[in-house]
Structure formats: structure tokens, C-alpha cells
PDB file of all heavy atoms in Angstrom:
ATOM      1  N   PRO B 293      37.359  -8.705 -38.044  1.00 98.00           N
ATOM      2  CA  PRO B 293      36.932  -8.792 -39.448  1.00 98.00           C
ATOM      3  C   PRO B 293      36.172  -7.576 -40.002  1.00 98.00           C
ATOM      4  O   PRO B 293      36.304  -7.251 -41.180  1.00 98.00           O
ATOM      5  CB  PRO B 293      36.116 -10.057 -39.511  1.00 98.00           C
ATOM      6  CG  PRO B 293      36.614 -10.945 -38.410  1.00 98.00           C
ATOM      7  CD  PRO B 293      37.031  -9.986 -37.314  1.00 98.00           C
ATOM      8  N   ILE B 294      35.372  -6.946 -39.159  1.00 96.00           N
ATOM      9  CA  ILE B 294      34.568  -5.791 -39.689  1.00 96.00           C
ATOM     10  C   ILE B 294      35.092  -4.476 -39.214  1.00 96.00           C
ATOM     11  O   ILE B 294      34.419  -3.454 -39.483  1.00 96.00           O
ATOM     12  CB  ILE B 294      33.080  -5.964 -39.317  1.00 96.00           C
ATOM     13  CG1 ILE B 294      32.906  -5.927 -37.780  1.00 96.00           C
ATOM     14  CG2 ILE B 294      32.515  -7.242 -39.949  1.00 96.00           C
ATOM     15  CD1 ILE B 294      31.453  -5.885 -37.368  1.00 96.00           C
ATOM     16  N   GLU B 295      36.255  -4.420 -38.628  1.00 97.00           N
ATOM     17  CA  GLU B 295      36.782  -3.141 -38.136  1.00 97.00           C
ATOM     18  C   GLU B 295      37.664  -2.518 -39.228  1.00 97.00           C
ATOM     19  O   GLU B 295      38.909  -2.596 -39.198  1.00 97.00           O
ATOM     20  CB  GLU B 295      37.622  -3.316 -36.862  1.00 97.00           C
ATOM     21  CG  GLU B 295      36.762  -3.717 -35.636  1.00 97.00           C
ATOM     22  CD  GLU B 295      35.953  -2.510 -35.137  1.00 97.00           C
ATOM     23  OE1 GLU B 295      35.872  -1.474 -35.762  1.00 97.00           O
ATOM     24  OE2 GLU B 295      35.302  -2.663 -34.064  1.00 97.00           O
ATOM     25  N   PHE B 296      36.995  -1.984 -40.247  1.00 96.00           N
ATOM     26  CA  PHE B 296      37.762  -1.275 -41.259  1.00 96.00           C
ATOM     27  C   PHE B 296      36.806  -0.227 -41.913  1.00 96.00           C
ATOM     28  O   PHE B 296      35.579  -0.324 -41.849  1.00 96.00           O
ATOM     29  CB  PHE B 296      38.241  -2.235 -42.357  1.00 96.00           C
ATOM     30  CG  PHE B 296      37.180  -2.939 -43.178  1.00 96.00           C
ATOM     31  CD1 PHE B 296      36.720  -2.380 -44.383  1.00 96.00           C
ATOM     32  CD2 PHE B 296      36.657  -4.160 -42.741  1.00 96.00           C
ATOM     33  CE1 PHE B 296      35.736  -3.063 -45.129  1.00 96.00           C
ATOM     34  CE2 PHE B 296      35.650  -4.815 -43.487  1.00 96.00           C
ATOM     35  CZ  PHE B 296      35.203  -4.209 -44.660  1.00 96.00           C
ATOM     36  N   ASN B 297      37.480   0.779 -42.519  1.00 92.00           N
ATOM     37  CA  ASN B 297      36.769   1.774 -43.238  1.00 92.00           C
ATOM     38  C   ASN B 297      37.563   2.016 -44.549  1.00 92.00           C
ATOM     39  O   ASN B 297      38.727   2.147 -44.555  1.00 92.00           O
ATOM     40  CB  ASN B 297      36.633   3.086 -42.471  1.00 92.00           C
ATOM     41  CG  ASN B 297      35.789   4.099 -43.179  1.00 92.00           C
ATOM     42  OD1 ASN B 297      34.634   3.820 -43.572  1.00 92.00           O
ATOM     43  ND2 ASN B 297      36.342   5.264 -43.353  1.00 92.00           N
ATOM     44  N   LEU B 298      36.824   2.098 -45.666  1.00 92.00           N
ATOM     45  CA  LEU B 298      37.384   2.275 -46.948  1.00 92.00           C
ATOM     46  C   LEU B 298      37.141   3.685 -47.500  1.00 92.00           C
ATOM     47  O   LEU B 298      35.963   4.087 -47.508  1.00 92.00           O
ATOM     48  CB  LEU B 298      36.900   1.215 -47.920  1.00 92.00           C
ATOM     49  CG  LEU B 298      37.051  -0.243 -47.523  1.00 92.00           C
ATOM     50  CD1 LEU B 298      36.398  -1.117 -48.620  1.00 92.00           C
ATOM     51  CD2 LEU B 298      38.467  -0.639 -47.336  1.00 92.00           C
ATOM     52  N   THR B 299      38.140   4.343 -47.846  1.00 89.00           N
ATOM     53  CA  THR B 299      38.052   5.611 -48.562  1.00 89.00           C
ATOM     54  C   THR B 299      38.492   5.389 -50.024  1.00 89.00           C
ATOM     55  O   THR B 299      39.543   4.854 -50.315  1.00 89.00           O
ATOM     56  CB  THR B 299      38.931   6.686 -47.926  1.00 89.00           C
ATOM     57  OG1 THR B 299      38.494   6.851 -46.565  1.00 89.00           O
ATOM     58  CG2 THR B 299      38.828   8.024 -48.676  1.00 89.00           C
ATOM     59  N   LEU B 300      37.631   5.845 -50.890  1.00 90.00           N
ATOM     60  CA  LEU B 300      37.979   5.640 -52.304  1.00 90.00           C
ATOM     61  C   LEU B 300      38.753   6.806 -52.847  1.00 90.00           C
ATOM     62  O   LEU B 300      38.315   8.010 -52.705  1.00 90.00           O
ATOM     63  CB  LEU B 300      36.621   5.557 -53.138  1.00 90.00           C
ATOM     64  CG  LEU B 300      35.651   4.436 -52.691  1.00 90.00           C
ATOM     65  CD1 LEU B 300      34.440   4.478 -53.547  1.00 90.00           C
ATOM     66  CD2 LEU B 300      36.295   3.097 -52.736  1.00 90.00           C
ATOM     67  N   LEU B 301      39.932   6.559 -53.363  1.00 92.00           N
ATOM     68  CA  LEU B 301      40.732   7.651 -53.907  1.00 92.00           C
ATOM     69  C   LEU B 301      40.081   8.167 -55.233  1.00 92.00           C
ATOM     70  O   LEU B 301      39.977   7.405 -56.159  1.00 92.00           O
ATOM     71  CB  LEU B 301      42.157   7.164 -54.212  1.00 92.00           C
ATOM     72  CG  LEU B 301      43.188   8.212 -54.615  1.00 92.00           C
ATOM     73  CD1 LEU B 301      44.599   7.858 -54.112  1.00 92.00           C
ATOM     74  CD2 LEU B 301      43.195   8.466 -56.094  1.00 92.00           C
ATOM     75  N   THR B 302      39.712   9.436 -55.197  1.00 87.00           N
ATOM     76  CA  THR B 302      39.117  10.055 -56.395  1.00 87.00           C
ATOM     77  C   THR B 302      40.015  11.115 -57.014  1.00 87.00           C
ATOM     78  O   THR B 302      39.736  11.538 -58.111  1.00 87.00           O
ATOM     79  CB  THR B 302      37.716  10.619 -56.068  1.00 87.00           C
ATOM     80  OG1 THR B 302      37.882  11.628 -55.003  1.00 87.00           O
ATOM     81  CG2 THR B 302      36.758   9.560 -55.548  1.00 87.00           C
ATOM     82  N   HIS B 303      40.970  11.581 -56.252  1.00 84.00           N
ATOM     83  CA  HIS B 303      41.881  12.616 -56.701  1.00 84.00           C
ATOM     84  C   HIS B 303      43.296  12.364 -56.216  1.00 84.00           C
ATOM     85  O   HIS B 303      43.480  11.998 -55.042  1.00 84.00           O
ATOM     86  CB  HIS B 303      41.434  13.992 -56.174  1.00 84.00           C
ATOM     87  CG  HIS B 303      42.243  15.139 -56.653  1.00 84.00           C
ATOM     88  ND1 HIS B 303      42.056  15.704 -57.885  1.00 84.00           N
ATOM     89  CD2 HIS B 303      43.279  15.751 -56.104  1.00 84.00           C
ATOM     90  CE1 HIS B 303      42.911  16.696 -58.042  1.00 84.00           C
ATOM     91  NE2 HIS B 303      43.679  16.762 -56.961  1.00 84.00           N
ATOM     92  N   PRO B 304      44.285  12.412 -57.091  1.00 88.00           N
ATOM     93  CA  PRO B 304      44.171  12.675 -58.531  1.00 88.00           C
ATOM     94  C   PRO B 304      43.565  11.520 -59.301  1.00 88.00           C
ATOM     95  O   PRO B 304      43.804  10.354 -58.913  1.00 88.00           O
ATOM     96  CB  PRO B 304      45.624  12.934 -58.948  1.00 88.00           C
ATOM     97  CG  PRO B 304      46.419  12.163 -57.979  1.00 88.00           C
ATOM     98  CD  PRO B 304      45.706  12.263 -56.671  1.00 88.00           C
ATOM     99  N   GLU B 305      42.827  11.799 -60.343  1.00 92.00           N
ATOM    100  CA  GLU B 305      42.003  10.812 -61.021  1.00 92.00           C
ATOM    101  C   GLU B 305      42.903   9.718 -61.678  1.00 92.00           C
ATOM    102  O   GLU B 305      42.482   8.597 -61.733  1.00 92.00           O
ATOM    103  CB  GLU B 305      41.166  11.458 -62.145  1.00 92.00           C
ATOM    104  CG  GLU B 305      39.908  12.101 -61.632  1.00 92.00           C
ATOM    105  CD  GLU B 305      39.019  12.564 -62.745  1.00 92.00           C
ATOM    106  OE1 GLU B 305      39.534  13.160 -63.745  1.00 92.00           O
ATOM    107  OE2 GLU B 305      37.798  12.352 -62.647  1.00 92.00           O
ATOM    108  N   TYR B 306      44.107  10.048 -62.076  1.00 94.00           N
ATOM    109  CA  TYR B 306      45.015   9.069 -62.699  1.00 94.00           C
ATOM    110  C   TYR B 306      45.426   7.931 -61.734  1.00 94.00           C
ATOM    111  O   TYR B 306      46.005   6.962 -62.185  1.00 94.00           O
ATOM    112  CB  TYR B 306      46.170   9.720 -63.399  1.00 94.00           C
ATOM    113  CG  TYR B 306      47.110  10.429 -62.492  1.00 94.00           C
ATOM    114  CD1 TYR B 306      48.132   9.749 -61.792  1.00 94.00           C
ATOM    115  CD2 TYR B 306      47.065  11.791 -62.309  1.00 94.00           C
ATOM    116  CE1 TYR B 306      48.983  10.352 -60.962  1.00 94.00           C
ATOM    117  CE2 TYR B 306      47.962  12.495 -61.431  1.00 94.00           C
ATOM    118  CZ  TYR B 306      48.937  11.749 -60.764  1.00 94.00           C
ATOM    119  OH  TYR B 306      49.778  12.386 -59.909  1.00 94.00           O
ATOM    120  N   LEU B 307      45.185   8.133 -60.428  1.00 95.00           N
ATOM    121  CA  LEU B 307      45.501   7.085 -59.441  1.00 95.00           C
ATOM    122  C   LEU B 307      44.237   6.350 -58.948  1.00 95.00           C
ATOM    123  O   LEU B 307      44.331   5.512 -58.107  1.00 95.00           O
ATOM    124  CB  LEU B 307      46.211   7.692 -58.229  1.00 95.00           C
ATOM    125  CG  LEU B 307      47.609   8.241 -58.468  1.00 95.00           C
ATOM    126  CD1 LEU B 307      48.210   8.742 -57.205  1.00 95.00           C
ATOM    127  CD2 LEU B 307      48.520   7.200 -59.132  1.00 95.00           C
ATOM    128  N   SER B 308      43.102   6.650 -59.518  1.00 96.00           N
ATOM    129  CA  SER B 308      41.870   6.013 -59.078  1.00 96.00           C
ATOM    130  C   SER B 308      41.645   4.673 -59.848  1.00 96.00           C
ATOM    131  O   SER B 308      42.234   4.403 -60.892  1.00 96.00           O
ATOM    132  CB  SER B 308      40.652   6.954 -59.331  1.00 96.00           C
ATOM    133  OG  SER B 308      40.188   6.849 -60.654  1.00 96.00           O
ATOM    134  N   MET B 309      40.758   3.874 -59.276  1.00 96.00           N
ATOM    135  CA  MET B 309      40.505   2.576 -59.895  1.00 96.00           C
ATOM    136  C   MET B 309      39.841   2.687 -61.279  1.00 96.00           C
ATOM    137  O   MET B 309      39.912   1.787 -62.068  1.00 96.00           O
ATOM    138  CB  MET B 309      39.535   1.766 -58.987  1.00 96.00           C
ATOM    139  CG  MET B 309      40.026   1.427 -57.615  1.00 96.00           C
ATOM    140  SD  MET B 309      38.842   0.401 -56.755  1.00 96.00           S
ATOM    141  CE  MET B 309      37.530   1.643 -56.452  1.00 96.00           C
ATOM    142  N   THR B 310      39.155   3.811 -61.527  1.00 96.00           N
ATOM    143  CA  THR B 310      38.434   4.031 -62.767  1.00 96.00           C
ATOM    144  C   THR B 310      39.394   4.064 -63.984  1.00 96.00           C
ATOM    145  O   THR B 310      38.903   3.940 -65.137  1.00 96.00           O
ATOM    146  CB  THR B 310      37.597   5.295 -62.699  1.00 96.00           C
ATOM    147  OG1 THR B 310      38.499   6.424 -62.546  1.00 96.00           O
ATOM    148  CG2 THR B 310      36.567   5.214 -61.599  1.00 96.00           C
ATOM    149  N   VAL B 311      40.694   4.199 -63.761  1.00 96.00           N
ATOM    150  CA  VAL B 311      41.626   4.240 -64.866  1.00 96.00           C
ATOM    151  C   VAL B 311      41.856   2.858 -65.465  1.00 96.00           C
ATOM    152  O   VAL B 311      42.243   2.751 -66.619  1.00 96.00           O
ATOM    153  CB  VAL B 311      42.941   4.897 -64.384  1.00 96.00           C
ATOM    154  CG1 VAL B 311      44.059   4.798 -65.423  1.00 96.00           C
ATOM    155  CG2 VAL B 311      42.720   6.321 -63.968  1.00 96.00           C
ATOM    156  N   MET B 312      41.646   1.838 -64.701  1.00 94.00           N
ATOM    157  CA  MET B 312      41.970   0.496 -65.068  1.00 94.00           C
ATOM    158  C   MET B 312      41.163   0.044 -66.301  1.00 94.00           C
ATOM    159  O   MET B 312      39.980   0.343 -66.427  1.00 94.00           O
ATOM    160  CB  MET B 312      41.758  -0.499 -63.943  1.00 94.00           C
ATOM    161  CG  MET B 312      42.740  -0.275 -62.761  1.00 94.00           C
ATOM    162  SD  MET B 312      42.517  -1.520 -61.515  1.00 94.00           S
ATOM    163  CE  MET B 312      43.954  -1.273 -60.512  1.00 94.00           C
ATOM    164  N   PRO B 313      41.780  -0.774 -67.151  1.00 92.00           N
ATOM    165  CA  PRO B 313      41.028  -1.425 -68.247  1.00 92.00           C
ATOM    166  C   PRO B 313      40.025  -2.431 -67.746  1.00 92.00           C
ATOM    167  O   PRO B 313      40.139  -2.938 -66.629  1.00 92.00           O
ATOM    168  CB  PRO B 313      42.085  -2.054 -69.143  1.00 92.00           C
ATOM    169  CG  PRO B 313      43.267  -2.326 -68.153  1.00 92.00           C
ATOM    170  CD  PRO B 313      43.181  -1.165 -67.194  1.00 92.00           C
ATOM    171  N   GLN B 314      39.064  -2.776 -68.577  1.00 93.00           N
ATOM    172  CA  GLN B 314      37.955  -3.606 -68.177  1.00 93.00           C
ATOM    173  C   GLN B 314      38.389  -4.953 -67.576  1.00 93.00           C
ATOM    174  O   GLN B 314      37.789  -5.417 -66.609  1.00 93.00           O
ATOM    175  CB  GLN B 314      37.012  -3.795 -69.330  1.00 93.00           C
ATOM    176  CG  GLN B 314      35.686  -4.420 -68.991  1.00 93.00           C
ATOM    177  CD  GLN B 314      34.725  -4.432 -70.136  1.00 93.00           C
ATOM    178  OE1 GLN B 314      34.938  -5.140 -71.133  1.00 93.00           O
ATOM    179  NE2 GLN B 314      33.610  -3.755 -70.030  1.00 93.00           N
ATOM    180  N   GLU B 315      39.395  -5.581 -68.197  1.00 92.00           N
ATOM    181  CA  GLU B 315      39.739  -6.947 -67.705  1.00 92.00           C
ATOM    182  C   GLU B 315      40.344  -6.916 -66.285  1.00 92.00           C
ATOM    183  O   GLU B 315      40.068  -7.830 -65.515  1.00 92.00           O
ATOM    184  CB  GLU B 315      40.757  -7.580 -68.646  1.00 92.00           C
ATOM    185  CG  GLU B 315      42.081  -6.856 -68.845  1.00 92.00           C
ATOM    186  CD  GLU B 315      42.933  -7.544 -69.850  1.00 92.00           C
ATOM    187  OE1 GLU B 315      43.596  -8.508 -69.514  1.00 92.00           O
ATOM    188  OE2 GLU B 315      42.932  -7.052 -71.009  1.00 92.00           O
ATOM    189  N   LEU B 316      41.013  -5.808 -65.940  1.00 94.00           N
ATOM    190  CA  LEU B 316      41.494  -5.706 -64.579  1.00 94.00           C
ATOM    191  C   LEU B 316      40.327  -5.430 -63.588  1.00 94.00           C
ATOM    192  O   LEU B 316      40.287  -5.889 -62.508  1.00 94.00           O
ATOM    193  CB  LEU B 316      42.578  -4.604 -64.485  1.00 94.00           C
ATOM    194  CG  LEU B 316      44.005  -5.027 -64.688  1.00 94.00           C
ATOM    195  CD1 LEU B 316      44.921  -3.833 -64.646  1.00 94.00           C
ATOM    196  CD2 LEU B 316      44.411  -6.092 -63.674  1.00 94.00           C
ATOM    197  N   LYS B 317      39.374  -4.590 -64.083  1.00 96.00           N
ATOM    198  CA  LYS B 317      38.243  -4.303 -63.234  1.00 96.00           C
ATOM    199  C   LYS B 317      37.474  -5.582 -62.924  1.00 96.00           C
ATOM    200  O   LYS B 317      36.947  -5.750 -61.812  1.00 96.00           O
ATOM    201  CB  LYS B 317      37.334  -3.269 -63.931  1.00 96.00           C
ATOM    202  CG  LYS B 317      37.863  -1.863 -63.953  1.00 96.00           C
ATOM    203  CD  LYS B 317      36.898  -0.862 -64.584  1.00 96.00           C
ATOM    204  CE  LYS B 317      37.387   0.540 -64.519  1.00 96.00           C
ATOM    205  NZ  LYS B 317      36.451   1.517 -65.114  1.00 96.00           N
ATOM    206  N   LYS B 318      37.383  -6.452 -63.851  1.00 96.00           N
ATOM    207  CA  LYS B 318      36.652  -7.713 -63.662  1.00 96.00           C
ATOM    208  C   LYS B 318      37.352  -8.533 -62.631  1.00 96.00           C
ATOM    209  O   LYS B 318      36.691  -9.181 -61.771  1.00 96.00           O
ATOM    210  CB  LYS B 318      36.518  -8.511 -64.995  1.00 96.00           C
ATOM    211  CG  LYS B 318      35.508  -7.897 -65.974  1.00 96.00           C
ATOM    212  CD  LYS B 318      35.447  -8.724 -67.252  1.00 96.00           C
ATOM    213  CE  LYS B 318      34.428  -8.141 -68.235  1.00 96.00           C
ATOM    214  NZ  LYS B 318      34.410  -8.924 -69.503  1.00 96.00           N
ATOM    215  N   ARG B 319      38.705  -8.581 -62.636  1.00 96.00           N
ATOM    216  CA  ARG B 319      39.436  -9.313 -61.604  1.00 96.00           C
ATOM    217  C   ARG B 319      39.254  -8.728 -60.219  1.00 96.00           C
ATOM    218  O   ARG B 319      39.080  -9.437 -59.232  1.00 96.00           O
ATOM    219  CB  ARG B 319      40.957  -9.285 -61.963  1.00 96.00           C
ATOM    220  CG  ARG B 319      41.396 -10.186 -63.104  1.00 96.00           C
ATOM    221  CD  ARG B 319      42.849 -10.077 -63.392  1.00 96.00           C
ATOM    222  NE  ARG B 319      43.633 -10.489 -62.221  1.00 96.00           N
ATOM    223  CZ  ARG B 319      44.985 -10.318 -62.137  1.00 96.00           C
ATOM    224  NH1 ARG B 319      45.617  -9.701 -63.074  1.00 96.00           N
ATOM    225  NH2 ARG B 319      45.628 -10.751 -61.033  1.00 96.00           N
ATOM    226  N   ILE B 320      39.230  -7.385 -60.162  1.00 97.00           N
ATOM    227  CA  ILE B 320      39.006  -6.736 -58.889  1.00 97.00           C
ATOM    228  C   ILE B 320      37.640  -7.018 -58.361  1.00 97.00           C
ATOM    229  O   ILE B 320      37.434  -7.333 -57.187  1.00 97.00           O
ATOM    230  CB  ILE B 320      39.183  -5.218 -59.093  1.00 97.00           C
ATOM    231  CG1 ILE B 320      40.674  -4.931 -59.317  1.00 97.00           C
ATOM    232  CG2 ILE B 320      38.739  -4.419 -57.825  1.00 97.00           C
ATOM    233  CD1 ILE B 320      40.931  -3.526 -59.822  1.00 97.00           C
ATOM    234  N   GLU B 321      36.604  -6.921 -59.214  1.00 98.00           N
ATOM    235  CA  GLU B 321      35.283  -7.194 -58.789  1.00 98.00           C
ATOM    236  C   GLU B 321      35.120  -8.604 -58.204  1.00 98.00           C
ATOM    237  O   GLU B 321      34.531  -8.831 -57.159  1.00 98.00           O
ATOM    238  CB  GLU B 321      34.295  -7.032 -59.966  1.00 98.00           C
ATOM    239  CG  GLU B 321      32.798  -7.263 -59.600  1.00 98.00           C
ATOM    240  CD  GLU B 321      31.922  -7.014 -60.799  1.00 98.00           C
ATOM    241  OE1 GLU B 321      32.145  -7.544 -61.867  1.00 98.00           O
ATOM    242  OE2 GLU B 321      30.958  -6.174 -60.623  1.00 98.00           O
ATOM    243  N   LYS B 322      35.683  -9.576 -58.883  1.00 98.00           N
ATOM    244  CA  LYS B 322      35.621 -10.984 -58.418  1.00 98.00           C
ATOM    245  C   LYS B 322      36.320 -11.120 -57.078  1.00 98.00           C
ATOM    246  O   LYS B 322      35.788 -11.822 -56.176  1.00 98.00           O
ATOM    247  CB  LYS B 322      36.286 -11.923 -59.492  1.00 98.00           C
ATOM    248  CG  LYS B 322      36.252 -13.378 -59.156  1.00 98.00           C
ATOM    249  CD  LYS B 322      36.851 -14.162 -60.318  1.00 98.00           C
ATOM    250  CE  LYS B 322      36.705 -15.710 -60.054  1.00 98.00           C
ATOM    251  NZ  LYS B 322      37.599 -16.158 -58.922  1.00 98.00           N
ATOM    252  N   ARG B 323      37.459 -10.519 -56.915  1.00 98.00           N
ATOM    253  CA  ARG B 323      38.241 -10.588 -55.694  1.00 98.00           C
ATOM    254  C   ARG B 323      37.368 -10.041 -54.460  1.00 98.00           C
ATOM    255  O   ARG B 323      37.377 -10.628 -53.396  1.00 98.00           O
ATOM    256  CB  ARG B 323      39.487  -9.814 -55.835  1.00 98.00           C
ATOM    257  CG  ARG B 323      40.477  -9.900 -54.597  1.00 98.00           C
ATOM    258  CD  ARG B 323      41.042 -11.260 -54.405  1.00 98.00           C
ATOM    259  NE  ARG B 323      41.810 -11.738 -55.535  1.00 98.00           N
ATOM    260  CZ  ARG B 323      43.110 -11.418 -55.747  1.00 98.00           C
ATOM    261  NH1 ARG B 323      43.783 -10.671 -54.906  1.00 98.00           N
ATOM    262  NH2 ARG B 323      43.769 -11.953 -56.823  1.00 98.00           N
ATOM    263  N   TRP B 324      36.722  -8.913 -54.692  1.00 98.00           N
ATOM    264  CA  TRP B 324      35.980  -8.297 -53.588  1.00 98.00           C
ATOM    265  C   TRP B 324      34.705  -9.040 -53.242  1.00 98.00           C
ATOM    266  O   TRP B 324      34.307  -9.108 -52.064  1.00 98.00           O
ATOM    267  CB  TRP B 324      35.681  -6.822 -53.926  1.00 98.00           C
ATOM    268  CG  TRP B 324      36.845  -5.924 -53.691  1.00 98.00           C
ATOM    269  CD1 TRP B 324      37.859  -5.650 -54.590  1.00 98.00           C
ATOM    270  CD2 TRP B 324      37.233  -5.295 -52.485  1.00 98.00           C
ATOM    271  NE1 TRP B 324      38.780  -4.817 -53.993  1.00 98.00           N
ATOM    272  CE2 TRP B 324      38.449  -4.567 -52.742  1.00 98.00           C
ATOM    273  CE3 TRP B 324      36.653  -5.189 -51.216  1.00 98.00           C
ATOM    274  CZ2 TRP B 324      39.059  -3.806 -51.744  1.00 98.00           C
ATOM    275  CZ3 TRP B 324      37.295  -4.414 -50.212  1.00 98.00           C
ATOM    276  CH2 TRP B 324      38.464  -3.744 -50.466  1.00 98.00           C
ATOM    277  N   ILE B 325      34.064  -9.609 -54.211  1.00 98.00           N
ATOM    278  CA  ILE B 325      32.860 -10.431 -53.980  1.00 98.00           C
ATOM    279  C   ILE B 325      33.239 -11.644 -53.133  1.00 98.00           C
ATOM    280  O   ILE B 325      32.539 -12.012 -52.167  1.00 98.00           O
ATOM    281  CB  ILE B 325      32.163 -10.781 -55.310  1.00 98.00           C
ATOM    282  CG1 ILE B 325      31.508  -9.579 -55.937  1.00 98.00           C
ATOM    283  CG2 ILE B 325      31.094 -11.887 -55.044  1.00 98.00           C
ATOM    284  CD1 ILE B 325      30.982  -9.818 -57.356  1.00 98.00           C
ATOM    285  N   GLU B 326      34.370 -12.252 -53.508  1.00 98.00           N
ATOM    286  CA  GLU B 326      34.858 -13.429 -52.745  1.00 98.00           C
ATOM    287  C   GLU B 326      35.264 -13.018 -51.327  1.00 98.00           C
ATOM    288  O   GLU B 326      34.998 -13.698 -50.369  1.00 98.00           O
ATOM    289  CB  GLU B 326      36.018 -14.050 -53.452  1.00 98.00           C
ATOM    290  CG  GLU B 326      35.651 -14.748 -54.764  1.00 98.00           C
ATOM    291  CD  GLU B 326      36.881 -15.173 -55.533  1.00 98.00           C
ATOM    292  OE1 GLU B 326      38.012 -14.733 -55.163  1.00 98.00           O
ATOM    293  OE2 GLU B 326      36.742 -15.913 -56.504  1.00 98.00           O
TER     294      GLU B 326
END
């Protein structure tokens, strides 16, 4: 369960999570907290 490492894609920016609209970001946040 804890054997993982996450790298956040920051480049190219158009493929990063920050591009998503707010409603999708809220779904993602809920999924990861759960």
C-alpha cells in the first residue's frame, strides 16, 4: 500500500493538472482524500 512515489507533471504545462476547470479539480481532490 505505501510503496509508491508520485511525480507531478509540470511540463509541458498543458498536460498538468492545473489546466483542469474547478469542478474537475474538486472531483480529484475528493478522490484523493478518500
Side-chain angles (χ1 to χ4, degrees):
I294 62 170
E295 292 287 8
F296 66 91
N297 185 53
L298 305 178
T299 298
L300 306 179
L301 188 149
T302 60
H303 183 82
E305 282 187 316
Y306 63 83
L307 294 183
S308 85
M309 297 183 291
T310 60
V311 173
M312 291 183 170
Q314 191 174 65
E315 61 185 278
L316 271 177
K317 286 183 176 180
K318 287 180 178 177
R319 287 178 62 188
I320 291 167
E321 181 176 53
K322 183 175 183 293
R323 182 71 58 87
W324 281 89
I325 291 173
E326 292 172 349

